[in-house]
Amino acid sequence: MRPLKLKISAFGPYSRTTEFDFTKLGTGGLYLITGDTGAGKTTIFDAITYALYGETSGSNREVSMLRSKYAEETTPTEVELTFSYRDKEYTVKRNPEYEKLKARGEGTTKQVANAEIIYPDGKVITRIKDVDNAVREIIGINKEQFCQIAMIAQGDFLKLLLASTKERIEIFRHIFKTELYQNLQDRLKNESIKLSAECKRIDESISQYVSGKTVP
């Protein structure tokens, strides 16, 4: 997955609409985001992760914290990410639940969380659960795996280095779509166990038959 464009509005420390054009970074495949403490580096990670999975990139930040406290009350909180995967472009949009001004009268009302994903052929999926499933189906990995291998936040690189062999196997199995070979291996193993058990049963039957024969 390669991010192409990211647009955030009233998100984290970004009070207004801010756009990031990642196409200007080229297609090298490895990018480093740097900046002073508090410059908003983690917010970019959070925005990408939230757009894809509806969650932040870190465990210490809740989705309810995404609404910018610096934004004007009329500015909506939302994220839009355009990314490419296997030479196809997808656009996913999300907004968290938050309080907003009523369109009529005084006071506030609740803005419900929404999500949608636009496929290369123009097809649109809008339900949050369906969007979540669509993203996982397209990219092939879940949020935890994504943060381990595709977008590593400061201080989290050690988690990948210390991941168990079992965890790494699971991650790369999803990345390279090798589930088919694993399923074949499991089926062959089960079939081998069945054939071994059948051979053992036949051997025992033959031995029992031979031992039951008497010499004339």
Side-chain angles (χ1 to χ4, degrees):
M1 191 284 289
R2 185 165 65 89
L4 300 177
K5 293 184 179 180
L6 174 67
K7 181 168 68 175
I8 60 179
S9 173
F11 190 91
Y14 296 88
S15 61
R16 301 178 181 178
T17 299
T18 305
E19 298 187 23
F20 302 87
D21 186 359
F22 295 109
T23 61
K24 294 181 179 179
L25 301 178
T27 59
L30 182 63
Y31 313 110
L32 175 64
I33 299 176
T34 64
D36 296 334
T37 300
K41 302 185 299 296
T42 301
T43 303
I44 298 175
F45 281 35
D46 282 343
I48 294 175
T49 308
Y50 176 71
L52 293 173
Y53 298 101
E55 302 178 54
T56 63
S57 61
S59 58
N60 60 339
R61 295 179 297 281
E62 300 294 334
V63 172
S64 59
M65 302 166 58
L66 298 180
R67 169 74 177 174
S68 175
K69 62 181 180 180
Y70 308 108
E72 296 182 0
E73 294 181 336
T74 55
T75 304
T77 296
E78 56 189 12
V79 172
E80 178 180 322
L81 173 68
T82 299
F83 67 93
S84 67
Y85 186 76
R86 296 190 174 182
D87 297 325
K88 294 183 178 180
E89 289 190 14
Y90 303 83
T91 298
V92 60
K93 304 177 183 178
R94 287 187 195 264
N95 71 264
E97 180 180 287
Y98 64 92
E99 291 292 323
K100 67 175 184 177
L101 288 178
K102 290 183 177 179
R104 297 179 180 177
E106 298 180 353
T108 61
T109 185
K110 184 177 292 184
Q111 170 65 55
V112 299
N114 291 300
E116 73 172 38
I117 184 169
I118 305 173
Y119 282 73
D121 61 2
K123 181 178 73 172
V124 180
I125 294 178
T126 57
R127 294 177 57 188
I128 292 178
K129 185 177 181 180
D130 292 339
V131 173
D132 293 344
N133 292 335
V135 169
R136 284 193 292 268
E137 182 178 343
I138 293 168
I139 301 179
I141 54 178
N142 59 32
K143 178 250 180 178
E144 287 73 21
Q145 294 167 335
F146 178 79
C147 292
Q148 276 187 302
I149 60 174
M151 191 180 65
I152 305 176
Q154 181 180 359
D156 286 346
F157 184 65
L158 186 61
K159 294 181 181 179
L160 176 61
L161 297 180
L162 298 180
S164 66
T165 300
K166 182 178 180 181
E167 290 175 325
R168 291 180 183 177
I169 289 175
E170 187 66 23
I171 290 172
F172 290 117
R173 179 179 297 144
H174 285 292
I175 294 175
F176 298 109
K177 307 292 185 182
T178 60
E179 293 94 338
L180 177 64
Y181 304 105
Q182 181 64 43
N183 292 337
L184 176 60
Q185 179 179 320
D186 293 340
R187 288 179 59 185
L188 292 175
K189 182 179 179 180
N190 292 333
E191 194 66 26
S192 176
I193 293 174
K194 291 180 181 178
L195 291 175
S196 295
E198 181 66 15
C199 288
K200 182 178 180 181
R201 186 191 65 79
I202 293 175
D203 286 342
E204 291 176 348
S205 178
I206 293 175
S207 297
Q208 185 177 12
Y209 175 79
V210 172
S211 62
K213 299 291 288 183
T214 57
V215 179

